[in-house]
Amino acid sequence: MDLINEKELYELVNKISVTYFQKPFIDDVRFNHRLRTTGGRYIPVKRLIELNPKYAMEMGQNEFIGIIKHELCHYHLHIEGKGYRHRDKDFRELLKRTGSPRFCSPLPSEEKNYKHVYRCKKCDQVYERKRRINIQKYRCGKCKGALKYVSID
């Protein structure tokens, strides 16, 4: 999917809102290029939906529409004064009714970008990390054994 401009993005979000929620989307939506670990977010104070443009470019239309539907669940429940947070029952029920994903898939460009590898001395469990960790402070999550640094990729 090619990156679309702000007006086309608003029209897409409004179309999805009317189709799945039978309500118009009347507030703001925009791309936020600084989002890294999430497909989108809803900011209740500003009534603003921000979407990660990388998902539109890398993941395809179905994944991007799923992210929009997820953020619209937050949006419509917030406007109605119902529970719009992830832990709320209203939110989880609306996700199911609209076929929206609970989480977005990781970006292919961000996957398996590990630089540091640690191994448990006791059970040989492997931990891959982007950042270095203090092996004096952290233990194996499986058996509580000591960790050792293996390599940098």
Side-chain angles (χ1 to χ4, degrees), residues 75-128:
Y75 171 78
H76 287 298
L77 289 170
H78 175 251
I79 287 176
E80 294 170 10
K82 296 180 180 175
Y84 63 91
R85 294 188 170 105
H86 285 119
R87 67 178 176 262
D88 295 326
K89 186 179 178 187
D90 293 332
F91 180 74
R92 283 184 270 129
E93 287 173 356
L94 188 57
L95 283 178
K96 282 183 188 172
R97 267 201 323 257
T98 58
S100 305
R102 183 114 189 251
F103 306 103
C104 57
S105 306
L107 283 167
S109 62
E110 295 288 323
E111 268 184 13
K112 305 221 187 252
N113 195 7
Y114 305 120
K115 294 181 181 168
H116 306 283
V117 180
Y118 300 88
R119 176 172 273 125
C120 176
K121 291 180 180 178
K122 203 172 183 182
C123 69
D124 286 331
Q125 174 72 30
V126 175
Y127 296 94
E128 298 174 317

Side-chain angles (χ1 to χ4, degrees), residues 29-63:
V29 63
R30 66 175 170 222
F31 284 117
N32 183 343
H33 296 273
R34 292 168 303 177
L35 293 177
R36 294 180 59 155
T37 59
T38 184
R41 66 181 177 182
Y42 172 62
I43 303 171
V45 176
K46 298 179 182 178
R47 287 175 46 162
L48 168 70
I49 293 177
E50 293 183 332
L51 299 168
N52 188 338
K54 289 181 187 173
Y55 276 86
M57 307 271 290
E58 293 182 29
M59 296 299 283
Q61 191 172 4
N62 288 340
E63 181 78 18

